[in-house]
Amino acid sequence: MVMISPSLLAANFAILGDEVRSITAAGADLLHLDIMDGHFVPNLTFGVPVVKALRPVTKLPFDVHLMVENPDLYVEPLAAAGAEMITVHVEAALHLHRTLQAIKGFGLKAGVALNPATPLCTLEHVLSELDLILLMSVNPGFGGQEFIPGTVVKVASLRKLLQAAGVAPAIAVDGGMNRKTAPRVIAAGADIIVAGSAVFGAPDVKEAITALRGEHCR
Ligand code: DX5
Ligand code: ZN
C-alpha cells in the first residue's frame, strides 16, 4: 500500500508537538521534515534541534528532506537526532556517492531528490545505493504550490527504469499532492506521497490521509 508522509512545513509551528501527535493518531506512515538553509532554496525552515525535540513525540520514522547547500554537514547530527531516512538533492551534493555512503554508514536509509528540471539519468551511477528516490513535483522551497503535471510521466519513466535496472528503491513524490493529484502519481508508480497543506490544512486529518491513499473512510 502507498505510504503517506505528511510534511511538517505546513503544520502550526506554535504547537509542533501536538501537530505531530495528531498526524500519528491519524495513521500517517512517516513524518517528512523539510530542512532548508536559505541558500539551496530561497527559504529557511528549521534544523537539527527541532528534529531532536520531536523525536520523543512519535514513533513514526523521520523522513528528512535536506534542501541545503552542503548536505554532508548534517548527516551525522541528523543520525544522532533520530532520523531514519535522509534525502539529499542531486543538484546540491557535490560528491553524491560519498554522501549516500555516509548516510548508510550511520545505518540510515539513503534517498536522492530531483528537482522538476533534473533528468532521471542523473541517478544512473548511484541506483544501487538508493533506498528512496524523491521526485519534486514543485520547485522546492515552499509549501502550497501547484503540482507540475509533467511529474506523472517522470514517475512512470522512473518506475520502468528501476524495473529494467533490477533495483527497488521507493519512489516518493513531493509537492502539490492532494486528493486529485496523488492518485495520478500513484497510478504511475509512486510508493510514497509527501503532502503538507493537504494534510495539515484539512479539517479532518485522518480523512485527508485516507483520501491521499486513494481510499474512502466513510
Ligand atoms: C517543498 C517541500 C515540500 C512541501 C510540500 O519544498 O519539499 O515537502 O512541504 O508542501 P505541499 O504539500 O503544500 O505542496
Ligand atoms: Zn519535502
Side-chain angles (χ1 to χ4, degrees):
M1 191 168 64
V2 68
M3 295 175 96
I4 306 299
S5 189
S7 162
L8 198 67
L9 188 59
N12 180 345
F13 278 29
I15 49 161
L16 275 187
D18 292 344
E19 295 280 67
V20 170
R21 277 183 279 269
S22 153
I23 56 116
T24 305
D29 300 291
L30 305 163
L31 176 64
H32 187 83
L33 296 149
D34 288 301
I35 297 186
M36 305 184 189
D37 67 350
H39 293 276
F40 178 65
V41 288
N43 197 8
L44 277 168
T45 53
F46 49 79
V48 176
V50 172
V51 177
K52 193 175 171 189
L54 290 174
R55 191 54 288 182
V57 175
T58 180
K59 289 197 164 66
L60 290 182
F62 281 3
D63 154 32
V64 178
H65 179 191
L66 273 182
M67 284 160 279
V68 301
E69 222 169 53
N70 188 348
D72 293 353
L73 292 177
Y74 300 96
V75 173
E76 186 169 3
L78 282 169
E84 267 83 4
M85 311 157 72
I86 299 180
T87 297
V88 298
H89 270 263
V90 68
E91 306 86 0
L94 198 54
H95 301 284
L96 181 60
H97 189 276
R98 180 190 286 157
T99 305
L100 296 171
Q101 292 286 304
I103 295 170
K104 296 205 298 187
F106 287 103
L108 311 187
K109 290 187 175 167
V112 163
L114 265 56
N115 280 336
T118 303
L120 297 176
C121 62
T122 54
L123 297 172
E124 185 179 349
H125 300 293
V126 292
L127 273 185
S128 58
E129 307 297 325
L130 299 176
D131 299 298
L132 173 80
I133 298 167
L134 185 148
L135 297 184
M136 289 306 303
S137 40
V138 298
N139 288 295
F142 301 92
Q145 302 180 79
E146 203 171 317
F147 175 69
I148 298 171
T151 313
V152 177
V153 173
K154 199 172 182 184
V155 172
S157 307
L158 177 57
R159 180 52 70 203
K160 265 193 219 148
L161 189 155
L162 296 180
Q163 264 155 13
V167 290
I171 301 179
V173 180
D174 183 5
M177 287 288 94
N178 57 43
R179 60 189 69 207
K180 289 210 173 88
T181 54
R184 293 168 60 193
V185 296
I186 293 168
D191 303 299
I192 299 174
I193 299 297
V194 178
S197 28
V199 172
F200 288 102
D204 181 340
V205 170
K206 188 171 183 182
E207 192 275 335
I209 289 175
T210 307
L212 284 168
R213 284 204 175 95
E215 297 164 352
H216 302 282
C217 70
R218 41 180 163 196

